[in-house]
Amino acid sequence: MSVYFQSINTAFIIFLLLGFLLIIPWLIFSYRKYGYLSVWESIVMYSFVFYMLTALFLVLLPMPATRDTCSLQPPDTVHYSLVPFSFITDIMSTSSVVWSQPSTYGRILTESVFYQAVFNLLLLMPFGVYLRYFFSHRRYWKRALGLGFLLSLFYEITQITGIYGIYNCPYRIFDVDDLLLNSTGALIGFLIAPILLALFPSRKSVEAKGKELQKVKYVSPLSQLVAVITDYLVIKLSWTFTLGLFITDGFIEFIYTTIGFFILFFLVPLIWNGKTIGTGIMRFKLATTKGNQSFWKSLLIRTLALYLPFMLSRFLKMVENIDIDMDSIFYLYYVWGSVAIIVFLFMMWVTLFLHVVLVLIRRKQRSYYFDDVANLIAKKESY
C-alpha cells in the first residue's frame, strides 16, 4: 500500500504545480466557451488532470535507482507476456483454493495475483466515467473502449521501452492481460457512469446556462481580472523569451516593462477600438462612462493606475537594495527606511488583494479602481 500512497503523493505535488499553471488558460477557455466560470466544470477538469497523473504514476512508480536495470536482471529475463487471460491460470495454479471444496473459494480474495487483476480492472474505470461525461451518450461505448485500449497501450509501451530509453531494460513487463483488463475497466466505468453522474449537473445544463449568460452584456469582474493578468503575462513573457534570454539587468527589465505597460494598456486599446490583447481574448472592450471625456485620457489614467503598484514595488525594491556601509551616518536611516518600505509594500498589496476580493464578491455593485478612476466600463462584444 505504501507504493500506492507514494504514487498518489507524487501525483498530488505535480498536480498542484500544473493546477497553478493552468489557472489562467482554463479561465480563458471557460469564459470563451461558456461565458462564465462553471465551478462544476472546473472541478471536473482539475480532478481529471489529477486522476490522469495518479494513474500514470501508479503504473510507473517506484522507479529503479539506476538506469542500468539490465544489471539487476538475469540475462534470460522475459519482458513481455502475450498469452491472454494468463492471470486466470496464475490464480488457479498459485492459489491455495481446493476447487472441490467451495468453502475455500474465498481464499482467492487474498491472492496477490487476484489483487493485481482487480487493480488493472479498476485503474481505468474512472477514465470511463470521465469519457461518459464528455461524450454523454451511451452509443459512444465503442469509442470509450477504444480510448481505454489506447491509453492502456501507451502505459504498456512506456513500460516495455524502459520509459522510452531512460532505462536500458524494462523494469516492468508488457502484459496483454493488462490491456484487456484496463480496456474492460474503462468500458465498465463508461456504462455505470450515469449512476454517479446523476448526482451532479450535466454538461448540457452547464452549456445552457452559458448560452443564457452570453445574451447578457454584463462582463463579470473575474473576466476583467483575467484580461488584465493576461496582458501583464504577455509583457513578462515577451521579456523572458526575447531580451531576457541575454540580459539580466533589473533596471533594463524595469524600463522594458514600463514601455510594455504603455503599449499594451494604452496604445493597443487606443488603436484597437478599446480592446487590449486580454480583453480581446475575453471578448469584451473598454468604453467611457462619460461622453464628454476623451477616450485617450481615460485609457491613460487607467494605464497609470495599473502601472502605479508595479512601479512603486520595483522602485522601492531598488532603493532597498542600495548597499550602504554600516559605519555610514546614513546606515540607521537606511535600516528604518528598509523596514518602512517592507511595511508599505505589504500594506499596499494586501489592500489591493482585499479590493480584488471585494469586487469579485460584490460583482455589479463595485468596479476595479483602475476602471473607476478612469471612468471606463467593460462592454461585452457580440459574436
Side-chain angles (χ1 to χ4, degrees):
M1 293 298 291
S2 61
V3 174
Y4 296 144
F5 285 123
Q6 177 191 356
S7 302
I8 295 172
N9 288 337
T10 304
F12 182 72
I13 293 171
I14 296 180
F15 166 75
L16 292 178
L17 176 61
L18 282 178
F20 176 77
L21 296 175
L22 289 172
I23 287 177
I24 297 302
W26 169 249
L27 288 174
I28 291 173
F29 171 80
S30 183
Y31 269 95
R32 286 185 65 87
K33 182 171 183 179
Y34 302 113
Y36 75 108
L37 176 64
S38 169
V39 176
W40 169 240
E41 282 286 306
S42 300
I43 292 173
V44 170
M45 190 275 291
Y46 274 92
S47 64
F48 180 68
V49 171
F50 177 65
Y51 160 71
M52 293 298 287
L53 286 172
T54 302
L56 178 63
F57 289 129
L58 284 171
V59 171
L60 298 182
L61 297 182
M63 294 181 180
T66 176
R67 293 185 67 249
D68 185 18
T69 49
C70 291
S71 63
L72 305 177
Q73 306 168 7
D76 57 347
T77 300
V78 178
H79 298 110
Y80 52 86
S81 174
L82 302 180
V83 181
F85 305 109
S86 60
F87 72 94
I88 297 177
T89 306
D90 293 339
I91 292 175
M92 296 181 66
S93 61
T94 61
S95 175
S96 59
V97 172
V98 179
W99 298 105
S100 61
Q101 300 178 12
S103 60
T104 64
Y105 289 178
R107 297 177 187 175
I108 294 179
L109 303 179
T110 64
E111 299 294 335
S112 60
V113 179
F114 176 80
Y115 283 148
Q116 185 66 30
V118 172
F119 167 79
N120 283 309
L121 186 69
L122 296 177
L123 181 64
L124 295 193
M125 197 174 290
F127 183 65
V129 175
Y130 282 108
L131 291 179
R132 184 61 177 269
Y133 177 78
F134 296 139
F135 294 148
S136 299
H137 297 292
R138 185 176 180 178
R139 66 175 181 271
Y140 293 117
W141 68 269
K142 293 180 181 179
R143 189 177 300 181
L145 179 62
L147 289 174
F149 176 82
L150 290 176
L151 181 58
S152 178
L153 184 62
F154 164 73
Y155 292 153
E156 297 302 314
I157 292 175
T158 302
Q159 291 175 340
I160 194 65
T161 58
I163 312 184
Y164 305 102
I166 293 179
Y167 298 97
N168 58 3
C169 280
Y171 61 94
R172 292 187 181 178
I173 69 170
F174 181 103
D175 194 340
V176 70
D177 280 344
D178 292 351
L179 287 172
L180 296 173
L181 290 169
N182 290 162
S183 304
T184 303
L187 178 61
I188 293 174
F190 185 85
L191 295 176
I192 67 172
I195 300 174
L196 301 174
L197 297 178
L199 303 174
F200 305 102
S202 67
R203 204 173 192 195
K204 287 184 178 179
S205 65
V206 173
E207 293 174 350
K209 181 179 178 181
K211 289 180 180 179
E212 290 298 320
L213 289 175
Q214 287 174 7
K215 298 177 182 178
V216 182
K217 294 299 181 180
Y218 167 71
V219 181
S220 72
L222 184 56
S223 182
Q224 298 177 52
L225 181 63
V226 171
V228 172
I229 295 174
T230 300
D231 288 327
Y232 179 71
L233 287 177
V234 170
I235 298 172
K236 298 302 291 182
L237 291 174
S238 66
W239 163 264
T240 302
F241 294 104
T242 55
L243 296 180
L245 295 173
F246 312 100
I247 301 174
T248 58
D249 190 294
F251 180 72
I252 295 179
E253 182 183 358
F254 174 74
I255 297 299
Y256 180 94
T257 306
T258 300
I259 296 173
F261 258 92
F262 282 88
I263 291 176
L264 258 71
F265 290 104
F266 178 68
L267 290 180
V268 171
L270 189 63
I271 297 171
W272 196 17
N273 192 30
K275 291 189 291 184
T276 67
I277 294 176
T279 64
I281 292 174
M282 300 306 292
R283 295 180 174 176
F284 71 89
K285 64 180 182 178
L286 301 171
T288 57
T289 58
K290 294 184 178 180
N292 59 348
Q293 181 170 319
S294 299
F295 185 53
W296 72 267
K297 290 183 179 179
S298 296
L299 286 177
L300 183 60
I301 293 172
R302 182 179 187 267
T303 302
L304 291 173
L306 284 166
Y307 176 69
L308 187 61
F310 166 79
M311 184 272 292
L312 287 175
S313 297
R314 295 303 298 267
F315 177 75
L316 293 176
K317 284 183 179 180
M318 286 190 291
V319 172
E320 185 184 4
N321 290 332
I322 296 175
D323 189 17
I324 297 181
D325 191 271
M326 293 183 64
D327 296 329
S328 172
I329 59 174
F330 299 104
Y331 184 73
L332 184 61
Y333 298 103
Y334 169 74
V335 172
W336 284 107
S338 298
V339 173
I341 288 173
I342 293 173
V343 172
F344 175 79
L345 290 176
F346 176 78
M347 292 180 62
M348 180 185 72
W349 286 111
V350 167
T351 302
L352 288 174
F353 174 76
L354 293 176
H355 167 71
V356 169
V357 171
L358 186 61
V359 173
L360 292 174
I361 292 175
R362 300 189 67 177
R363 297 186 180 183
K364 294 183 180 181
Q365 300 177 15
R366 292 187 65 92
S367 59
Y368 290 111
Y369 76 94
F370 44 82
D371 286 336
D372 193 43
V373 298
N375 296 316
L376 288 171
I377 58 171
K379 294 180 64 176
K380 186 177 292 187
E381 290 198 311
S382 300
Y383 287 86

